[in-house]
Amino acid sequence: MKEIGIKTEYITLGQFLKLSDCISTGGHAKFFLQENTVMINGEADNRRGRKLYAGDKVEVEGCGVFTVGKA
């Protein structure tokens, strides 16, 4: 499990996917989420604007399992 550190209170799912190297640019987030399953704390979610906070667990199909932490 890899930890992705954030300096702000939260990060959106689209930004998170870019930081975790699951997508190369933020513009790919919409299409990536239409084609892949993302589980946040055990629940499926495909909203690129979903806010992620420190302590959240994110499982990205074909990319891995991550946690959101404070940088």
Side-chain angles (χ1 to χ4, degrees):
M1 187 176 322
K2 184 176 175 186
E3 182 172 307
I4 304 296
I6 60 172
K7 296 178 183 176
T8 57
E9 180 184 356
Y10 65 86
I11 187 171
T12 64
L13 180 55
Q15 293 170 326
F16 177 86
L17 291 172
K18 187 171 183 295
L19 273 180
S20 62
D21 293 327
C22 292
I23 58 174
S24 56
T25 68
H28 290 126
K30 180 178 181 180
F31 304 106
F32 182 87
L33 290 169
Q34 289 175 346
E35 298 176 1
N36 297 280
T37 302
V38 177
M39 303 290 284
I40 301 170
N41 299 325
E43 296 180 11
D45 200 333
N46 66 347
R47 297 173 293 156
R48 62 185 167 159
R50 163 78 186 257
K51 295 177 182 176
L52 303 175
Y53 297 90
D56 284 345
K57 179 182 175 185
V58 183
E59 298 176 54
V60 183
E61 177 185 0
C63 199
V65 179
F66 306 89
T67 57
V68 180
K70 282 287 187 186

